Amino acid sequence: MSTITLLTGLAAPLPGSAALSGIDKTPVTHPLTLGPEGFQGDEQADRRVHGGIEKAVHHYPLDHYSDWRAELGDLPALTAPGGFGENISTRGPTEMTVAVGDVFRLGTALIQVSQGRQPCWKLNHRFGVPDMARRVQQTGRTGWYYRVLEPGTVAPGDRLELIDRLAPDWTLRRLWHALYVDRMNLVELEGIAALDVLAEGWRKYAVRRLESRRVEDWSARLDGTA
């Protein structure tokens, strides 16, 4: 079990951009209601690509912050949890150990790992690093999302307790490797396409690659360009 820092944030302008983002999260000191689409008082600016049932809660390991500081220096967004827009910060669980479909008790809520995080260009502005989104994708230090199986109340300092593992072989690291490193491994893609605990959008990536034998263009997501 891992003790959590609980964070939320409101949509605000990104540094150096006219775009709004809810990426700037700060710790809360009181219990929050967790519903099917996220925490009470939390916002996402662009609901087409952020938030929703399959991205109700974002978890980013605090363990990664020291790696980023070693690579990038003591940037303001790396001084405390919340730099990556996470709702939950912990030490211990990482993409190496957490698998798609893992079910956790958090407070009185029940949540399930639905997918990894696909970094977008807003991270570039958040950190003031032009290729930050690409760095996050290339390292696999992406964090992940949960869907809410049972709504409830979550408080700072609650423990994240693993309840069940439905696809333990499919760690988030393995999923990342198949999608972003060994990108046309047909056996892995077939496995992803059939992984019913994985968010439908991610299964569709695998289906499209199997059908087209091509990898999608990530430039718009990562760089904010077509």
Side-chain angles (χ1 to χ4, degrees):
M1 292 193 296
S2 303
T3 302
I4 69 159
T5 298
L6 180 61
L7 308 104
T8 62
L10 300 178
L14 275 169
S17 171
L20 295 176
S21 175
I23 197 170
D24 186 6
K25 308 294 187 189
T26 55
V28 300
T29 58
H30 55 278
L32 296 177
T33 299
L34 175 58
E37 295 199 19
F39 283 105
Q40 161 197 356
D42 195 44
E43 283 187 352
Q44 299 83 35
D46 188 349
R47 297 283 293 180
R48 296 171 305 152
V49 292
H50 298 113
I53 290 173
E54 296 287 38
K55 299 179 183 177
V57 178
H58 179 221
H59 187 159
Y60 198 82
L62 187 59
D63 311 66
H64 293 336
Y65 274 66
S66 59
D67 296 319
W68 288 119
R69 286 193 295 270
E71 294 174 18
L72 301 173
D74 293 327
L75 299 179
L78 293 173
T79 58
F84 292 84
E86 62 266 38
N87 300 117
I88 294 175
S89 175
T90 60
R91 289 194 182 276
T94 70
E95 297 84 356
M96 295 288 290
T97 58
V98 174
V100 177
D102 283 359
V103 178
F104 293 88
R105 177 68 66 186
L106 181 61
T108 63
L110 197 67
I111 58 178
Q112 182 180 46
V113 178
S114 57
Q115 62 190 75
R117 189 238 189 103
Q118 285 189 307
C120 80
W121 60 270
K122 291 184 177 180
L123 285 170
N124 304 338
H125 290 271
R126 169 70 167 150
F127 286 89
V129 177
D131 62 344
M132 188 65 185
R134 288 189 177 274
R135 289 172 182 256
V136 171
Q137 180 167 293
Q138 289 166 358
T139 61
R141 300 196 294 261
T142 61
W144 58 91
Y145 289 103
Y146 299 97
R147 59 176 70 96
V148 178
L149 300 182
E150 295 178 6
T153 300
V154 181
D158 278 350
R159 291 183 176 273
L160 190 69
E161 180 183 1
L162 181 63
I163 298 296
D164 199 5
R165 309 202 80 189
L166 302 183
D169 290 339
W170 278 102
T171 64
L172 293 160
R173 184 73 176 185
R174 178 183 175 185
L175 184 65
W176 165 82
H177 190 269
L179 289 178
Y180 299 119
V181 181
D182 191 10
R183 299 175 294 179
M184 287 306 302
N185 184 318
L186 301 186
V187 172
E188 289 290 88
L189 291 175
E190 288 170 355
I192 293 170
L195 190 58
D196 59 1
V197 292
L198 179 64
E200 182 181 4
W202 278 50
R203 297 200 307 272
K204 286 181 177 178
Y205 285 118
V207 171
R208 285 195 293 266
R209 288 189 197 177
L210 288 166
E211 292 175 347
S212 69
R213 295 299 196 265
R214 296 177 60 188
V215 177
E216 59 277 5
D217 181 3
W218 303 319
S219 59
R221 173 172 57 82
L222 295 173
D223 306 321
T225 59

